[in-house]
Amino acid sequence: MTSSKDIANKGLDTGTSNGDTTRLNGAPVPSEQHSVTTGPQGGINLHDMHLTEKLAHFNRERIPERVVHAKGGGAFGELTITEDVSKYTKAGLFQPGTKTPMLARFSTVAGEQGSPDGWRDVRGFSLKFYTEEGNYDLVGNNTPVFFIRDGIKFPDFIHSQKRLPDTGLRDANMQWDFWTESPESAHQVTYLMGDRGIPKTWRNMDGFSSHTYQWINAEGERFWVQYHFKTRQGWEFLTDAEAEELVGQNTDHSRQDLFEAIERGDYPTWDVKVQIMPFDEAEDYRFNPFDITKVWSQKDYPLIPVGHFTLNENPRNFFAQIEQAAFAPSNLVPGIGFSPDKMLLARAFSYADAHRHRVGANAEHLPVNSPIKQVNTFSQDGAAAYRFADPSLPVHGSNIAGRGSQESLDGGDLGLWAAKGEEPFRGAYIHHSEDDDFGQAGTLVREVLDDEARDRLAGNIARAMDGVSPEVEEKCYIYWTNVDEWLGSEVKKRFQENKA
Ligand code: NDP
């Protein structure tokens, strides 16, 4: 079996040494200290090829940072399946006893490269499993829900969380304007403003697929599935005051914490659990199960244990293996499919496309992204192509040799619900009996949080509103009153006290 160590070492140039260095063409470097000048005090000579090559390469060291989730860190590890969920999925990586090497990347959402790990923000929770059937990627978060339910609003949402065009500053007014104009955000914003909005470290948070996917078993039966990754390190958080102090001392504390924990052999582990909904129950469930702003109540669909994953190998090179890592929910494997979740379907296009722009058309040729499964494709060429097929094979589909003539309906990406023969449609999600934008956020506030957590939530919200205009301030009170009457009036009281 390919281990996490094998994956972490993929691409490591074993020929490098502490001895004499070479130019990129492998020829000896004349000097790393002195450039060639015309006499000891003259101009620099352009034909000092090592100098010009060194400077030119340096100028090209950065690739575009991710527009979202730019600041992150990650590590390699191993997924182990301890339970039998084969009645729900035939996917090889989830069969009992299977071990699969993997990569995890954690991140903040809105901050740029170099921004503090301790900002109040949702945390990205991306996983890439190098399975025997191809790479399987899950791009979740540390929350089970999301701010919006249709990918068409995603650029607007991110613009509102990033920076103003003139000042280049982040702006509470546009954040709250977007949220209060988008009531479907209420559940996620309640999470964000609550204790879980600043996890103490990445090791101290759970992960969620957030999206609903399909699992398909060997008999072709389909189920809806949501993944939960429960930290064995315990859920821990920082208060606003603690985070503020920490960020002043260390902007990279989560990146450092993960790296150092793995170096000392304290490998972080998450239990893998799923909620399973029988295919036909989706239609009548009290919440629309494809709406990512909702959870499926655990009372209706309890967590089912599957196994666990452990991160046990640090990257050997941050840029090559974390910055260039390309996670995309379009990377599915047989036994797993999409659901009619519009955020998921938009991301299925958008993530792969972002990497084509950011890393290049051949991002999957890089060791960190390439599958352990043999790739056999008609896709070819493009910038920095590294892999190529046996030249004796046809390069086009529809060939006499029969290469690529299979008609497998098992590519993993099938099974959209549109199989019901529906016409293209642009409109809202189908409304289920208990669907509304504020209900589940209110349940979280009233039934899940204790008095102290509720109190911190109100304080966090009031502080995060600092800087909003009077119009947006009013909208915030309505928004939070809709979530919970007590919370609305408490936020108002605290905000006005803070202003006084
Ligand atoms: P349950 O009582 O079955 O589940 C409540 C869940 O809330 C717990 O499992 C726990 O999940 C989570 N939770 C506990 N403390 C906090 C906190 N401080 N902040 C956020 N979440 C917390 O009820 P339901 O499943 O019917 O859900 C009720 C509400 O709980 C929902 O509206 C939702 O906001 C929230 N919730 C539900 C989840 C789900 O998947 N059903 C997951 C997380 C929250 P955990 O295991 O993560 O500690």
Side-chain angles (χ1 to χ4, degrees):
M1 174 211 148
T2 311
S3 70
S4 53
K5 195 179 203 118
D6 298 332
I7 300 278
N9 285 335
K10 242 171 131 183
L12 182 69
D13 195 344
T14 50
T16 47
S17 78
N18 226 356
D20 292 343
T21 53
T22 71
R23 286 189 48 209
L24 295 178
N25 69 347
V29 163
S31 170
E32 298 285 9
Q33 309 292 326
H34 306 293
S35 43
V36 177
T37 51
T38 309
Q41 306 206 67
I44 283 176
N45 281 210
L46 197 57
H47 74 261
D48 184 345
M49 286 305 157
H50 180 54
L51 169 72
T52 52
E53 182 178 84
K54 191 171 179 178
L55 294 181
H57 197 276
F58 177 70
N59 288 341
R60 289 162 178 78
E61 280 184 6
R62 295 287 172 272
I63 57 173
E65 70 173 35
R66 293 164 169 89
V67 179
V68 276
H69 294 279
K71 172 71 188 291
F76 297 93
E78 231 158 58
L79 168 73
T80 305
I81 305 304
T82 50
E83 311 299 321
D84 187 353
V85 289
S86 60
K87 66 179 172 183
Y88 302 120
T89 182
K90 64 180 175 187
L93 84 158
F94 292 123
Q95 299 314 303
T98 304
K99 284 183 192 285
T100 303
M102 60 173 291
L103 171 67
R105 181 177 182 271
F106 309 114
S107 53
T108 41
V109 177
E112 295 82 4
Q113 278 277 28
S115 62
D117 292 340
W119 274 353
R120 181 174 294 281
D121 200 351
V122 169
R123 302 295 187 272
F125 202 105
S126 293
L127 308 175
K128 183 185 286 295
F129 300 102
Y130 303 91
T131 90
E132 300 290 338
E133 297 168 302
N135 285 356
Y136 175 46
D137 294 0
L138 272 166
V139 288
N141 281 325
N142 70 331
T143 62
V145 290
F146 198 60
F147 298 89
I148 50 174
R149 57 169 73 97
D150 191 322
I152 202 165
K153 292 180 74 166
F154 190 75
D156 305 309
F157 162 58
I158 293 299
H159 290 168
S160 76
Q161 309 299 301
K162 288 266 188 176
R163 291 172 188 274
L164 285 169
D166 51 355
T167 59
L169 297 174
R170 295 189 70 188
D171 181 55
N173 205 54
M174 71 173 171
Q175 291 174 11
W176 285 102
D177 184 27
F178 180 87
W179 289 335
T180 52
E181 287 293 320
S182 305
E184 71 272 29
S185 66
H187 198 183
Q188 176 76 320
V189 179
T190 307
Y191 242 99
L192 176 64
M193 293 295 147
D195 290 341
R196 294 182 179 191
I198 316 181
K200 185 173 172 197
T201 74
W202 296 329
R203 294 185 301 128
N204 297 114
M205 64 188 192
D206 287 353
F208 301 85
S209 61
S210 314
H211 295 294
T212 297
Y213 290 86
Q214 268 181 72
W215 269 7
I216 305 147
N217 72 13
E219 281 73 50
E221 271 179 291
R222 295 172 186 279
F223 302 85
W224 304 111
V225 61
Q226 292 202 341
Y227 300 83
H228 296 243
F229 306 105
K230 313 295 267 181
T231 174
R232 285 196 192 165
Q233 292 69 242
W235 244 122
E236 288 188 50
F237 66 93
L238 300 176
T239 63
D240 273 349
E242 288 165 341
E244 200 168 312
E245 194 183 337
L246 176 66
V247 162
Q249 295 161 359
N250 184 352
T251 51
D252 302 319
H253 80 276
S254 291
R255 190 185 274 182
Q256 186 179 349
D257 172 80
L258 179 66
F259 195 93
E260 289 179 354
I262 293 174
E263 283 302 285
R264 66 174 181 264
D266 180 7
Y267 301 140
T269 297
W270 283 260
D271 286 308
V272 177
K273 302 191 175 190
V274 290
Q275 287 178 287
I276 296 281
M277 180 184 289
F279 193 82
D280 293 332
E281 289 184 18
E283 201 139 6
D284 296 322
Y285 185 50
R286 56 202 178 106
F287 306 107
N288 187 323
F290 309 122
D291 174 353
I292 192 176
T293 71
K294 305 286 188 325
V295 293
W296 308 352
S297 174
Q298 293 179 37
K299 297 179 194 84
D300 301 331
Y301 299 100
L303 297 182
I304 298 170
V306 177
H308 60 267
F309 71 78
T310 298
L311 301 180
N312 56 6
E313 290 286 338
N314 271 319
R316 310 300 192 242
N317 184 282
F318 187 89
F319 182 84
Q321 299 181 304
I322 302 299
E323 189 58 11
Q324 294 197 118
F327 298 87
S330 44
N331 287 339
L332 298 175
V333 288
I336 303 172
F338 291 136
S339 76
D341 168 343
K342 295 184 208 181
M343 270 307 299
L344 173 62
L345 297 178
R347 295 172 94 198
F349 158 73
S350 198
Y351 275 57
D353 188 58
H355 300 308
R356 283 180 208 113
H357 164 65
R358 207 175 60 82
V359 187
N362 288 309
E364 322 74 48
H365 288 208
L366 295 175
V368 72
N369 297 323
S370 65
I372 55 172
K373 167 98 163 50
Q374 176 69 54
V375 173
N376 188 20
T377 175
F378 290 122
S379 291
Q380 62 177 30
D381 302 349
Y386 173 73
R387 264 193 338 242
F388 48 86
D390 179 337
S392 68
L393 298 174
V395 295
H396 55 94
S398 308
N399 55 73
I400 195 165
R403 181 175 184 227
S405 61
Q406 79 275 22
E407 288 206 340
S408 161
L409 291 180
D410 200 10
D413 54 347
L414 298 170
L416 288 181
W417 220 11
K420 291 167 84 182
E422 287 169 352
E423 292 295 311
F425 169 82
R426 190 191 283 276
Y429 276 81
I430 295 170
H431 208 80
H432 288 214
S433 61
E434 292 187 30
D435 275 336
D436 75 73
D437 288 327
F438 299 105
Q440 288 199 349
T443 308
L444 177 62
V445 173
R446 285 183 296 274
E447 293 177 23
V448 179
L449 305 189
D450 59 25
D451 287 347
E452 287 168 1
R454 256 193 301 275
D455 190 66
R456 285 191 295 271
L457 172 66
N460 293 340
I461 295 170
R463 276 190 297 279
M465 283 169 56
D466 185 28
V468 298
S469 66
E471 295 80 10
V472 171
E473 181 186 335
E474 280 312 312
K475 288 201 298 170
C476 290
Y477 299 147
I478 297 168
Y479 183 91
W480 289 112
T481 304
N482 284 334
V483 170
D484 179 81
E485 207 152 324
W486 171 85
L487 188 57
S489 60
E490 195 64 19
V491 166
K492 186 169 187 172
K493 193 176 107 204
R494 307 272 185 113
F495 184 75
Q496 291 178 345
E497 278 169 10
N498 292 350
K499 264 204 314 196

